[in-house]
Amino acid sequence: MTTQEDSWRRKKFLLAINCIILAIGNCGGPLITRLYFLKGGERIWLSSWLETVGWPIVLVPLSFSYFNRRREFRGKITTDNNNDNDNNNAKFILMTRRIFVASIGIGILTGFDNYLYAYGVAKLPVSTSALVIASQLAFTAGFAFLLVKQKFTSYSINSIFLLTLGAVVLALHANGDRPNGESRKEYILGFIMTLGAAALYGLILPLFELLYKKAKQGITYTLVMEIQAVYCIFSTVVCTIGMIINKDFQAMSREAKLFELGEARYYIVIIWSAILWQCFFLGAIGVIYFSSSLVSGILITVLLPITEILGVVFYGEKFTPEKGVSLVLSIWGFISYLYGDIKANKKKKENQSKEQEMIEKINCTP
């Protein structure tokens, strides 16, 4: 029983860490991407590319994990006196060909999703793009039901309803946030592209959960990081092709010289953009691994009003009454889901305790 409790606590701790990483990326990524466009950046494929080009960051924890596995295997060799190198050497890569191919497919979808999202951020204020992305939760819930048979409780349904309602309330006032000098056509197209990004990412999150369930091998956090690296590589490949066609690489040096914050800060913005977006993707799939795609979608949605507030603080965007109502609904929805999750876990532990007591009684019966 103690082992089960320790495992549960460890899982919750790692889930909390991934939630923090996701929060940093989810709030910081849109803000720094918007900063790029506000201060003179115009390259949408470049902005898309930056969302996953930071994948080499994942190689650092993967390296630590690999050397740790090697150390454990060497200790096992000493204990067991086993000279079979094939059995005792830690694998450099854990993923199978099946998972590798699936990760490529998700990576390609992510590349196009990055472009849709970057286009929306280029045309919409952070607060407006955030509210459109909030509709992602409804798509995630629908696809999670279809792909992984996600079970809904009254609390999760209430949470989805409140968070979606918050997005609808904001959408009613969205046109009032149209940036100066931007045509209505560009604004509407940005709105549509952002909605498309929300729908596509609403599909991608349950696809990760489906991948974990159909993997036919033990899923560890190291394997999750390998999946992160592979799908980000192929997402970057898609965006790199777009950059080459659009001649974004050649334009970067010219764009840096005209950047309002200065050439040096242009590259600082680009580097931090890659880092923050990598936090978002790593945190998202980590939350899926330790919980579910629906929880990841709910957390992303509940963080959006915070992003809106940060947009108001840093970029002087209007904080309308509708945004205040949306913030309250989002917090209410998150608390509803959190309460339901705590209640479900408590009930699960009680059932496990009863089962354990019954097993002990049966074993003690002569």
Side-chain angles (χ1 to χ4, degrees):
M1 188 66 183
T2 305
T3 305
Q4 286 182 347
E5 287 182 355
D6 289 342
S7 177
W8 183 81
R9 287 173 182 170
R10 182 174 178 273
K11 181 180 177 181
K12 289 296 179 183
F13 173 75
L14 292 173
L15 174 60
I17 294 296
N18 278 274
C19 287
I20 293 170
I21 294 172
L22 174 58
I24 292 170
N26 194 70
C27 295
L31 288 172
I32 201 162
T33 299
R34 185 59 181 165
L35 178 65
Y36 164 77
F37 288 112
L38 284 175
K39 299 303 178 181
E42 297 178 348
R43 300 285 163 172
I44 294 173
W45 274 114
L46 169 60
S47 183
S48 310
W49 183 72
L50 291 173
E51 292 181 35
T52 49
V53 75
W55 66 265
I57 295 171
V58 182
L59 297 180
V60 176
L62 278 175
S63 299
F64 280 114
S65 176
Y66 172 69
F67 287 117
N68 185 53
R69 296 201 312 272
R70 291 276 297 190
R71 195 181 303 114
E72 289 177 357
F73 268 77
R74 284 171 182 167
K76 192 174 181 181
I77 291 172
T78 304
T79 305
D80 298 342
N81 294 319
N82 191 339
N83 296 320
D84 190 347
N85 292 328
D86 291 336
N87 292 328
N88 293 315
N89 288 332
K91 289 182 179 181
F92 184 68
I93 298 174
L94 297 180
M95 70 166 53
T96 60
R97 185 180 299 177
R98 178 191 182 94
I99 294 179
F100 180 72
V101 172
S103 299
I104 291 174
I106 294 175
I108 293 171
L109 288 176
T110 302
F112 289 109
D113 183 66
N114 289 350
Y115 178 81
L116 293 173
Y117 179 77
Y119 193 99
V121 174
K123 304 299 180 182
L124 306 177
V126 172
S127 54
T128 305
S129 63
L131 72 91
V132 180
I133 288 295
S135 63
Q136 166 200 302
L137 180 60
F139 292 109
T140 301
F143 286 121
F145 176 76
L146 293 173
L147 296 176
V148 296
K149 310 302 179 186
Q150 175 72 52
K151 293 181 180 179
F152 292 97
T153 65
S154 58
Y155 297 102
S156 60
I157 293 172
N158 184 53
S159 178
I160 292 168
F161 172 76
L162 290 170
L163 290 167
T164 305
L165 181 61
V168 171
V169 168
L170 283 168
L172 295 174
H173 191 72
N175 195 44
D177 277 346
R178 180 150 51 99
N180 294 328
E182 186 172 295
S183 68
R184 181 177 175 82
K185 181 180 178 181
E186 287 179 329
Y187 182 87
I188 292 174
L189 183 58
F191 200 96
I192 293 171
M193 295 287 260
T194 307
L195 186 62
L200 187 53
Y201 201 66
L203 169 64
I204 289 170
L205 289 178
L207 282 177
F208 277 117
E209 190 173 355
L210 183 64
L211 173 60
Y212 296 157
K213 288 187 175 184
K214 301 290 185 180
K216 294 186 177 180
Q217 73 175 100
I219 302 295
T220 63
Y221 194 57
T222 299
L223 180 57
V224 170
M225 287 190 290
E226 288 182 1
I227 293 170
Q228 161 87 0
V230 171
Y231 94 83
C232 282
I233 287 170
F234 282 90
S235 172
T236 304
V237 168
V238 170
C239 295
T240 300
I241 293 171
M243 286 184 70
I244 292 171
I245 294 172
N246 203 43
K247 298 182 180 179
D248 282 4
F249 287 110
Q250 297 92 317
M252 284 178 67
S253 59
R254 297 193 303 271
E255 193 171 66
K257 291 175 183 177
L258 298 173
F259 198 62
E260 290 181 23
L261 299 178
E263 188 172 355
R265 289 181 180 177
Y266 173 85
Y267 292 107
I268 291 173
V269 167
I270 281 178
I271 291 169
W272 273 106
S273 182
I275 293 171
L276 289 170
W277 278 116
Q278 198 59 210
C279 287
F280 170 79
F281 286 112
L282 182 59
I285 67 168
V287 171
I288 294 171
Y289 171 66
F290 290 111
S291 187
S292 69
S293 58
L294 184 60
V295 172
S296 185
I298 286 174
L299 186 58
I300 290 169
T301 304
V302 81
L303 288 167
L304 293 175
I306 298 174
T307 306
E308 293 167 19
I309 292 172
L310 292 173
V312 171
V313 172
F314 290 111
Y315 302 142
E317 297 176 3
K318 297 176 183 177
F319 189 79
T320 61
E322 288 84 359
K323 291 179 182 178
V325 172
S326 176
L327 179 60
V328 171
L329 289 171
S330 295
I331 294 172
W332 183 9
F334 180 69
I335 291 173
S336 174
Y337 184 84
L338 188 64
Y339 176 75
D341 187 55
I342 292 170
K343 194 172 180 179
N345 284 327
K346 186 178 179 180
K347 187 176 180 181
K348 185 177 179 182
K349 288 180 73 175
E350 288 175 354
N351 291 336
Q352 288 177 344
S353 297
K354 289 178 181 178
E355 288 176 4
Q356 186 67 25
E357 288 175 4
M358 289 182 65
I359 291 170
E360 288 174 357
K361 286 180 181 179
I362 292 170
N363 291 333
C364 292
T365 303

